[in-house]
Amino acid sequence: MATKTYTNSAELAEQRTAGQYQGLSREQLIEAYRLMYTSRKIDDREILLKRQQRIYFQISGAGHEAVGVAAGFVLKPGYDWFYPYYRDRALCLTLGATPYEMFLEGVGAADDPNSGGRQMPSHWSFPRLNVVTQSSPTGSQILQAVGCAEAGRYFAAHPEAAKKASGDYREFKNVRFYGDEVTYVSLGDGTTSEGEFWEALNTVSNGKLPVVFVVEDNEYAISVPVEVQTPGGNISRLVAGFPNFHFEEVDGTDPVETYGAFARSVAYCRAGNGPAFIHAHVIRPYSHSLSDDERLYRPDAERQRDAARDPITRTQMFLLREGILDEKGINRLEKQVEEDLQAAVDQALEAVPPKPETVTDYIYSPDLDPTSSTFETQPAVAAGSDGKKPAAKTMADLINATLRDEMQRDERIVIFGEDVADCSREQYLRDKQIKGKGGVFKLTAGLQCDFGSDRVFNSPLAEANIVGRATGMATRGLKPVVEIQFFDYIWPAMMQLRDELPLIRWRSNNGFSAPAVIRVAIGGYLTGGAIYHSQCGESIFTHIPGLRVVFPSNALDAAGLLRTSIRCDDPVLFLEHKRLYRETFGRAPYPGPDYMIPFGKAKVVQPGTDLSVITYGAVVPRALQAAQKIEREHGIKVELIDLRCLNPFDWETIAASVRKTSRVIMAHEDTLSWGYGAEIVARIADELFDQLDAPVRRVAAKDTFVAYQPILEDAILPQADDVYRAIKELADY
Ligand SMILES: Cc1ncc(C[n+]2csc(CCOP(=O)(O)OP(=O)(O)O)c2C)c(N)n1
Ligand SMILES: [Mg+2]
């Protein structure tokens, strides 16, 4: 490993970079070459191994080596944080990852520290170095890096919050922070076209966050050249207007020049001045990956022009020219590297593959089970102020009260989202000119006033920004409880929700975890909500392994399940039905600051013997109305089950009820086809076929959108009458 050059202030860095070779010693320059050469030779060995079918994929860092080594010389492993994309092999080597560890990922070994055989090679994850698990979607790492930097700043301001605590996720989440750490994030030129890149620039610029952005510009995104991605062809020109940045544009095939750019940039960030942006011009001497043939879209002349700038040969020539190494020295160094790599390859090819029975390990926390009795407590209702019965409160009230008590108990909780703050212009609050907003549904009202603007704040109007930052924060040990204003607008965050947040633990083989809570206002029956304020769609999220999905129907359950969501060690999608926020149905007094309901435990709303109705959310009161009416009119006794939690769900309660009644209806507000009920009904058909006296029925929304005109909305969404009719038909079957 290289001798590290730690730059602690802008001044020191400037002194160093002003000297010969930007302050790099001759030993460091030799070490730079050794690392760059090692990186290139690992790629070459992997290419050979792929051709021999000993590994299954290859993507190289060729041409990008000088950037990685320069960054690795300036930044500190295990201190700073790293979100490096797949071309950053040289960076990881410089930080302390070994060639053997890289070959382990290639062969997909059980001992692969990156992912235990779960991810392709070059998808870096080295917990000991603070290299955070990386994925394949281009650009999804950037907002997480922003959240990571925000968490570092938060812990510096709230050191008490970093302490361990027992009884919740904090027991299993070590927090490390130093106060001046910097977060590195890199991406390719093509990836600057992703919206999340711009959402990230927005937040680091506004928040002056210590993030070093590195665009490794090899002028191609697979076959698409840079001018198609970047108007004018130069990303530096486009981002130049963002305030608070330190900008560098360098020849990224020159390790010395690039080192200088990193030294100045990191010093700027570390001193707390704001973010930095390094635009490094590099080359891509090999095709995009082994699945690509660049000769199909790049003529020879262009490829030869690139080859003339190859950082390996350039650096070799530089060492010879400067008399730092002679030819013999170069040969000796290269021979040693190749011998070491041979040994690493031989060892990796002997490595044991992971066992098939481990495939479901680490989808969820192995340490804390939110379905366990740890999360089962009784309500502790305090008497009203006059000693009388405490007042029943709405779901909105109890969610607000639960957030308040949890924030009091756990200083790691931060809340952000669109409009969730009382008022971003704090002065108005201080002067008592205004009362404050606290959410479009007022669920977070008063929390900014009570806990401060660094714990409750507005995000930009960008949903990926909310979930991506939350993921980065949760990875560092914070507990973000963020809000998506309407379920209908969750989709810009879908990449983060489907490919990132719930996968962090599994894909890193338990190296990292991100137990964030995403609160989402969902559902219709609004008379006037129309298409874009009324959708359901929960089954899209219950289809994602690693994500807990909760959907309470009443105030008490919302309080108990929200607390479990916050204290548990898994990511949770907490769905709050807008129509139920202030409904008379299901109001309850506040159940106290420790009331919890375990996940995956349904509630039998009403016991019955003739027929089971399984439902959740806003259909619960509608089904209850139907069940009461049918008992009055026909004496049919319905057992009504509120699932409350959709992933995991309470199969035992469903099965026990079906065994008892032999007739079952699955009812939900979402559309019928491919809806949540399909899974439940399929399982009943599979496992309880012998118990049934009638076909399994479903009541759900029509397979269309929720319309504005109330007559249409009524016709589209399932009503109490629809449930009533289904019960009658099935009872008569
Ligand atoms: C969101 C997403 N879209 C498409 C892809 C397929 N893909 C993988 S790499 C790549 C090109 C990336 O180009 P660039 O950002 O310039 O990085 P480079 O590979 O050139 O270093 C594409 C399109 C992907 N991985 N993720
Ligand atoms: Mg590129």
Side-chain angles (χ1 to χ4, degrees), residues 518-715:
I518 319 290
R519 295 180 38 248
V520 191
I522 191 170
Y525 302 108
L526 303 180
T527 47
I531 312 163
Y532 301 108
H533 300 86
S534 308
Q535 292 181 79
C536 280
E538 53 277 9
S539 63
I540 292 167
F541 295 91
T542 53
H543 194 65
I544 301 174
L547 186 66
R548 308 288 192 183
V549 181
V550 182
F551 201 155
S553 73
N554 61 80
L556 188 66
D557 288 352
L561 288 165
L562 180 58
R563 186 163 283 108
T564 302
S565 302
I566 291 171
R567 294 191 190 179
C568 89
D569 200 23
D570 298 318
V572 181
L573 190 74
F574 191 83
L575 302 172
E576 302 171 2
H577 202 290
K578 298 180 288 273
R579 179 61 202 261
L580 298 175
Y581 271 152
R582 293 184 167 78
E583 196 90 313
T584 319
F585 170 82
R587 292 189 184 190
Y590 184 58
D594 284 308
Y595 179 56
M596 286 184 286
I597 300 170
F599 287 168
K601 301 279 181 283
K603 182 154 113 186
V604 179
V605 179
Q606 151 179 315
T609 46
D610 298 330
L611 188 147
S612 306
V613 174
I614 300 157
T615 189
Y616 55 89
V619 179
V620 173
R622 285 159 182 80
L624 183 61
Q625 211 185 324
Q628 287 169 346
K629 189 170 166 210
I630 208 133
E631 185 167 359
R632 274 197 315 272
E633 295 178 358
H634 298 283
I636 299 167
K637 290 190 167 49
V638 171
E639 178 144 296
L640 179 58
I641 294 170
D642 177 1
L643 288 176
R644 309 197 283 194
C645 185
L646 306 185
N647 182 30
F649 70 90
D650 188 347
W651 174 248
E652 281 68 38
T653 298
I654 294 172
S657 185
V658 173
R659 283 195 191 97
K660 183 163 66 167
T661 65
S662 302
R663 285 179 160 76
V664 58
I665 292 169
M666 177 77 217
H668 55 67
E669 179 182 338
D670 197 7
T671 43
L672 181 81
S673 303
W674 302 283
Y676 182 78
E679 173 62 29
I680 308 285
V681 167
R683 190 153 169 201
I684 292 171
D686 183 359
E687 296 184 31
L688 300 171
F689 182 72
D690 296 343
Q691 308 287 329
L692 294 170
D693 287 342
V696 186
R697 281 280 149 78
R698 282 178 292 163
V699 176
K702 303 226 165 30
D703 289 337
T704 180
F705 311 96
V706 182
Y708 168 71
Q709 161 61 246
I711 294 171
L712 299 181
E713 184 184 43
D714 283 356

Side-chain angles (χ1 to χ4, degrees), residues 142-162:
I142 314 171
L143 286 163
Q144 293 175 30
V146 176
C148 169
E150 288 180 282
R153 174 185 288 179
Y154 184 88
F155 283 121
H158 299 260
E160 290 294 306

Side-chain angles (χ1 to χ4, degrees), residues 27 50 128 374 438 481 551 584 717:
E27 290 69 34
K50 171 74 174 74
R128 71 178 189 282
T374 314
V481 181
F551 201 155
T584 319
L717 295 181

Side-chain angles (χ1 to χ4, degrees), residues 88-371:
D88 281 354
R89 185 189 299 291
L91 168 69
C92 293
L93 288 170
T94 309
L95 293 175
T98 66
Y100 173 59
E101 290 175 312
M102 295 184 174
F103 289 124
L104 284 180
E105 199 177 28
V107 299
D111 285 343
D112 154 34
N114 298 278
S115 75
R118 292 171 173 196
Q119 288 225 83
M120 290 170 150
S122 297
H123 287 53
W124 317 114
S125 178
F126 298 103
R128 71 178 189 282
L129 306 173
N130 290 354
V131 174
V132 180
T133 172
Q134 293 303 296
S135 62
S136 301
T138 51
S140 55
Q141 75 277 22
I142 314 171
L143 286 163
Q144 293 175 30
V146 176
C148 169
E150 288 180 282
R153 174 185 288 179
Y154 184 88
F155 283 121
H158 299 260
E160 290 294 306
K163 288 194 176 147
K164 276 211 158 186
S166 54
D168 61 47
Y169 73 97
R170 287 173 294 179
E171 207 172 319
F172 311 103
K173 195 79 178 171
N174 289 326
V175 171
R176 284 199 320 274
F177 74 96
Y178 296 93
D180 68 345
E181 63 265 40
V182 169
T183 301
Y184 166 102
V185 63
S186 61
L187 55 141
D189 46 289
T191 300
T192 63
S193 297
E194 293 283 0
E196 293 192 14
F197 166 70
W198 298 94
E199 292 188 19
L201 290 180
N202 179 340
T203 298
V204 293
S205 176
N206 249 338
K208 290 190 169 187
L209 289 162
V211 180
V212 180
F213 283 73
V214 183
V215 174
E216 300 179 21
D217 184 352
N218 57 21
E219 298 186 10
Y220 275 96
I222 310 186
S223 69
V224 183
V226 63
E227 66 272 18
V228 177
Q229 308 283 354
T230 309
N234 184 312
I235 192 65
S236 283
R237 246 178 273 145
L238 295 192
V239 300
F242 277 93
N244 301 323
F245 267 93
H246 173 83
F247 290 106
E248 296 274 355
E249 184 174 0
V250 288
D251 179 350
T253 63
D254 177 342
V256 177
E257 191 192 323
T258 310
Y259 172 81
F262 269 98
R264 291 184 293 274
S265 299
V266 171
Y268 179 85
C269 293
R270 215 183 283 296
N273 296 318
F277 189 97
I278 300 176
H279 179 193
H281 293 278
V282 296
I283 59 159
R284 199 193 72 188
Y286 300 168
S287 291
H288 170 74
S289 73
L290 269 203
S291 318
D292 172 47
D293 180 2
E294 66 171 356
R295 286 169 306 187
L296 296 174
Y297 52 87
R298 296 184 82 183
D300 280 348
E302 184 184 294
R303 292 166 55 226
Q304 277 155 19
R305 223 177 314 137
D306 256 18
R309 287 178 60 222
D310 192 303
I312 305 292
T313 37
R314 265 192 86 165
T315 308
Q316 191 191 88
M317 300 304 283
F318 165 83
L319 293 176
L320 289 167
R321 199 175 58 239
E322 297 293 311
I324 296 169
L325 271 185
D326 59 13
E327 222 167 291
K328 254 168 69 195
I330 299 263
N331 286 341
R332 212 172 21 238
L333 180 151
E334 292 181 352
K335 190 159 168 282
Q336 187 62 54
V337 166
E338 278 159 47
E339 278 172 22
D340 291 350
L341 289 189
Q342 186 60 52
V345 170
D346 291 344
Q347 203 188 344
L349 288 174
E350 297 293 307
V352 180
K355 291 193 168 62
E357 58 269 28
T358 61
V359 289
T360 54
D361 288 356
Y362 311 129
I363 295 173
Y364 299 104
S365 170
D367 301 312
L368 195 56
D369 177 5
T371 69

